[in-house]
């Protein structure tokens, strides 16, 4: 038999190449369990034994092709986006209030039950001026102090000592006192007539939200968050040709994103992750395995899930106030691993929301800006 020529070998697919193509790993198959995941008995990973509501193919299709922007608001047609007032993006219905003299647990109860991401703090119930905010970052910081994970500096030591005595005596700790500990996010206000350019400049300084007030007064009319602004520009991009032209470009070409990410290993205790978030001024943190594969995410808002989980475990029936991590029941969750906490988060979301929660949403450098922003808006994720 005549040996095949070089041209024959080039033009005819070989058996080996067929075998190689048949073993190309899919995105699902490419994940390999780390050493810690293999050894861990309960659970190996938050996503290991979950039965998703959608098939993997359907879920991947949703992630690869998130919903497109809806119809643009005709009220903004033909306008320059830079001249739009911040007050046009806000509504008083978004504002939730709490008083300085309210107890820390009562304030947290309002924060969780209202579904808001932040409460505005005032002196009296008939007041419309805000003097501070209370959010899940404040709660996380307070819990770290209350459980001894953070120590106050010399200036705040007398306040901390006073709070410790009140806690030991079973007294209510006012929100005013709790807010006096630790670092605080800048409290920024803008008049409703300020334009979006001004708001973007403020957000660029690391501020997550801006309190919008009536022109010439301190009366609050709304709250503008980074996500609210992103959602507005996404849904109304067709009204603004300059912005709409950016959506087809890749995030790599636009120079968006950071390669210097801060993460925590899934085997680390939850308390270390919370301290890292507090010290670095982060609102969320990636959780990775020993091969640096992202297996989940922990955010300040997840403390809400933690509080609910504790109150359910303790079966507290004599009060409507949520039992916080300041109780003795805090130790198991704070001392347990981050990977365990993620499993608690996903399970609790599934029970409360009636649907499965995907632990990680991601894009790559070649994803378009439209794909990236659509995913942020659809998932309400910050990162």
């Amino acid at each position: 038999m005549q040996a095949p020529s070089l041209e024959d070998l080039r033009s005819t697919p070989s058996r080996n190449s067929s075998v190689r193509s048949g073993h190309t790993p899919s995105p699902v198959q490419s994940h390999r369990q780390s050493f810690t995941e293999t050894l861990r008995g309960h659970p190996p990973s938050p996503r290991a034994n979950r039965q998703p509501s959608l098939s993997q193919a359907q879920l991947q299709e949703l992630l690869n092709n998130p919903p497109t922007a809806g119809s643009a608001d005709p009220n903004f047609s033909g306008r320059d986006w830079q001249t739009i007032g911040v007050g046009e993006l806000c509504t008083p219905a978004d504002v939730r209030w709490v008083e300085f003299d309210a107890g820390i647990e009562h304030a947290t109860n309002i924060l969780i039950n209202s579904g808001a991401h932040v409460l505005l703090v005032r002196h009296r119930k008939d007041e419309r001026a805000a003097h501070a905010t209370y959010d899940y970052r404040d709660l996380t910081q307070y819990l770290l102090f209350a459980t001894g994970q953070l120590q106050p500096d010399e200036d705040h030591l007398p306040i901390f000592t006073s709070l410790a005595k009140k806690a030991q005596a079973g007294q209510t700790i006012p929100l005013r006192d709790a807010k006096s500990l630790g670092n605080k996010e800048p409290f920024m206000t803008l008049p409703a007539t300020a334009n979006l350019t001004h708001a973007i400049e403020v957000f660029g300084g690391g501020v997550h939200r801006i309190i919008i007030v009536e022109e010439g007064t301190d009366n609050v009319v709304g709250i503008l968050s980074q996500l609210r602004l992103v959602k507005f520009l996404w849904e109304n991009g067709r009204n603004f040709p300059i912005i709409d032209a950016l959506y087809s470009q890749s995030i790599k070409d636009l120079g968006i994103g950071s390669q210097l990410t801060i993460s925590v290993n899934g085997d680390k205790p939850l308390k270390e992750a919370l301290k890292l978030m507090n010290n670095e001024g982060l609102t969320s943190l990636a959780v990775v395995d020993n091969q640096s594969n992202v297996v989940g995410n922990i955010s300040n808002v997840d403390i809400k899930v933690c509080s609910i989980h504790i109150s359910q475990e303790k079966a507290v029936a004599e009060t409507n106030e949520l039992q916080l991590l300041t109780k003795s029941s805090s130790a198991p969750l704070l001392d347990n691993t981050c990977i365990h906490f993620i499993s608690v988060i996903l399970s609790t979301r599934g029970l409360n929301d009636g649907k499965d929660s995907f632990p990680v949403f991601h894009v790559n450098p070649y994803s378009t800006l439209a794909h990236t922003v659509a995913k942020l808006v659809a998932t309400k994720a910050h990162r």
Side-chain angles (χ1 to χ4, degrees), residues 248-354:
S248 61
Q249 300 184 48
S250 70
I251 56 177
K252 179 181 180 181
D253 292 339
L254 293 171
I256 298 176
S258 173
Q259 295 181 346
L260 300 176
T261 58
I262 300 176
S263 61
V264 64
N265 189 281
D267 283 337
K268 295 291 184 181
L270 172 62
K271 59 188 178 184
E272 291 193 19
L274 298 182
K275 285 192 291 185
L276 180 60
M277 289 167 57
N278 178 77
N279 295 337
E280 297 293 337
L282 301 174
T283 57
S284 65
L285 189 67
V287 180
V288 300
D289 62 16
N290 288 342
Q291 282 70 48
S292 296
N293 299 311
V294 178
V295 295
N297 180 77
I298 294 175
S299 73
N300 283 328
V301 179
D302 294 327
I303 295 299
K304 169 180 65 176
V305 177
C306 197
S307 299
I308 296 174
H309 180 71
I310 290 175
S311 65
Q312 291 172 340
E313 283 189 340
K314 302 297 286 185
V316 180
E318 56 274 340
T319 176
N320 290 326
E321 302 296 339
L322 289 173
Q323 298 295 316
L324 303 181
L325 289 174
T326 52
K327 310 302 181 185
S328 59
S329 55
S330 65
L333 281 171
L334 283 177
D335 293 332
N336 216 321
T337 64
C338 292
I339 205 75
H340 172 265
F341 185 57
I342 292 176
S343 70
V344 172
I345 294 171
L346 298 182
S347 298
T348 306
R349 286 177 184 168
L351 290 173
N352 293 342
D353 300 337

